[in-house]
């Protein structure tokens, strides 16, 4: 099944990002989310995670970047993305965000698209989910 | 009085006062840097006819986080799931009003989960994004 350039199975562009403690702290500052699990190594060491972890929303933003690379501004107007966070991202991790088109349909001069999205660190899945959007036919 | 809301005090349908957030240029710059976002502004600016700079879509996280300060969570909780629906991008200088409501509460494997809906509106009271966040509420 295809719709314009969009074909089931076509991968989304891959976004690679290095997450370090400085970036986590920067995200905490700009977001105001100073949960000590993210920013306080002593506190985080005493938790189930045994150390600081990145904000889920930071890693989520990489998925949205991959969707924008794939579909351009179409995704900004009605795009929908949901993810489940499965594993923590720690300082020093290289996150790879990507996905693939799962369903395409043509309706009224537009492509209706559903995608699987995933982010991993060294093949350890950190989040997984799906996205949907309508995209103008070329 | 604790500086966070215990899980037992939350209830489905509980609403919180709307929070107003100014999308200013410094915040957008800081957000772009913190998310290593080399993509959003290039992609969105190309198609954008707004009066000022366009912000990354996921900056919606910031106004939802500000609004969620009305529901302070115990330290140590984490985000389990998240869903965003984007109606349109926002621009530098816009005032965004976000309202939060508790949509669902459940316990699984001894952990307490809270699903919060955030609806963000522009100054014309038009919806610009919806966010559903499922948080594990620390004990």
């Amino acid at each position: 099944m295809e719709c314009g350039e969009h074909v089931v199975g076509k991968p989304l562009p891959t976004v690679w990002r290095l997450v370090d403690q400085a970036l986590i702290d920067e995200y905490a500052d700009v977001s105001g989310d100073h949960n000590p699990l993210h920013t306080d190594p002593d506190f985080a060491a005493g938790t189930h995670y045994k150390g600081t972890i990145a904000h889920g929303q930071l890693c989520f933003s990489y998925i949205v970047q991959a969707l924008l690379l794939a579909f351009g501004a179409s995704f900004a107007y009605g795009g929908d993305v949901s993810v489940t966070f499965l594993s923590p991202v720690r300082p020093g991790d290289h996150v790879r965000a990507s996905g693939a088109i799962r369903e395409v349909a043509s309706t009224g001069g537009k492509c209706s698209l559903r995608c699987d999205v995933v982010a991993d660190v060294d093949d350890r899945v950190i989040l997984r989910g799906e996205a949907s959007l309508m995209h103008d036919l070329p | 009085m604790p500086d966070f809301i215990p899980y037992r005090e939350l209830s489905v349908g509980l609403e919180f006062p709307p929070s107003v957030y100014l999308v200013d240029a410094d915040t957008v710059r800081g957000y772009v840097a913190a998310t290593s976002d080399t993509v959003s502004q290039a992609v969105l600016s190309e198609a954008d006819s707004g009066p000022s700079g366009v912000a990354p879509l996921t900056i919606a996280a910031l106004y939802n986080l500000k609004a969620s300060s009305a529901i302070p969570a115990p330290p140590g909780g984490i985000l389990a799931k998240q869903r965003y629906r984007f109606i349109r991008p926002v621009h530098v200088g816009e005032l965004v009003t976000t309202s939060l409501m508790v949509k669902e509460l459940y316990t699984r494997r001894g952990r307490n989960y809270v699903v919060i809906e955030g609806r963000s509106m522009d100054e014309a009271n038009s919806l610009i994004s919806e966010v559903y966040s499922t948080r594990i509420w620390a004990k």
Side-chain angles (χ1 to χ4, degrees):
Chain A
M1 185 69 192
E2 62 185 78
C3 183
E5 65 191 280
H6 305 299
V7 182
V8 170
K10 182 179 178 183
L12 307 185
T14 299
V15 170
W16 287 92
R17 296 287 183 259
L18 170 63
V19 175
D20 58 21
Q21 189 61 51
L23 196 71
I24 295 170
D25 292 345
E26 202 173 340
Y27 189 87
D29 287 341
V30 75
S31 68
D33 182 353
H34 290 280
N35 182 337
L37 186 56
H38 305 304
T39 58
D40 183 340
D42 292 334
F43 173 88
T47 69
H48 165 75
Y49 297 98
K50 310 292 184 199
T52 57
I53 62 173
H55 301 75
Q57 288 174 330
L58 173 60
C59 305
F60 177 83
S61 76
Y62 305 153
I63 292 290
V64 173
Q65 291 177 45
L67 289 161
L68 286 170
L69 280 174
F71 305 114
S74 294
F75 186 71
Y77 297 88
D80 191 318
V81 55
S82 60
V83 301
T84 299
F85 298 95
L86 298 170
S87 181
V89 172
R90 300 178 184 283
D93 282 347
H94 279 91
V95 178
R96 176 177 63 179
S98 189
I101 296 174
R102 190 206 317 156
E103 291 176 27
V104 292
S106 174
T107 50
K110 288 179 179 285
C111 299
S112 169
L113 302 165
R114 297 185 79 82
C115 304
D116 295 314
V117 295
V118 65
D120 59 27
V121 173
D122 296 332
D123 295 327
R124 171 174 56 88
V125 175
I126 59 159
L127 66 82
R128 187 188 297 281
E130 65 172 22
S132 61
L133 73 153
M134 300 293 285
H135 192 267
D136 287 333
L137 274 166
Chain B
M1 179 179 168
D3 53 4
F4 56 83
I5 299 181
Y7 181 78
R8 65 179 180 277
E9 290 183 13
L10 296 170
S11 59
V12 173
L14 190 60
E15 293 183 67
F16 296 86
S19 163
V20 178
Y21 189 92
L22 171 64
V23 180
D24 65 57
D26 284 347
T27 302
V28 170
R29 271 193 295 274
Y31 185 79
V32 167
T35 53
S36 313
D37 190 345
T38 56
V39 175
S40 292
Q41 289 184 311
V43 170
L44 297 176
S45 297
E46 200 172 302
D48 187 63
S49 57
S52 56
V54 65
L57 294 177
T58 53
I59 206 163
L62 303 197
Y63 31 87
N64 276 273
L65 278 164
K66 184 185 177 201
S68 70
S69 64
I71 321 172
I78 58 166
L79 198 55
K81 297 180 183 181
Q82 190 146 55
R83 176 184 171 204
Y84 279 63
R85 188 164 77 93
F86 302 109
I87 308 303
R88 68 163 178 85
V90 297
H91 297 86
V92 170
E94 283 201 75
L95 280 175
V96 178
T97 300
T98 300
S99 302
L100 301 183
M101 179 190 288
V102 175
K103 298 295 283 187
E104 193 179 353
L105 299 166
Y106 60 92
T107 300
R108 190 166 293 162
R109 292 187 213 163
R111 289 174 155 178
N112 295 324
Y113 291 79
V114 181
V115 182
I116 297 169
E117 174 194 68
R119 289 171 57 83
S120 296
M121 320 295 280
D122 63 17
E123 290 166 88
N125 207 33
S126 296
L127 184 67
I128 51 177
S129 63
E130 286 180 318
V131 176
Y132 293 85
S133 302
T134 304
R135 303 195 70 89
I136 297 174
W137 214 255
K139 294 180 177 174

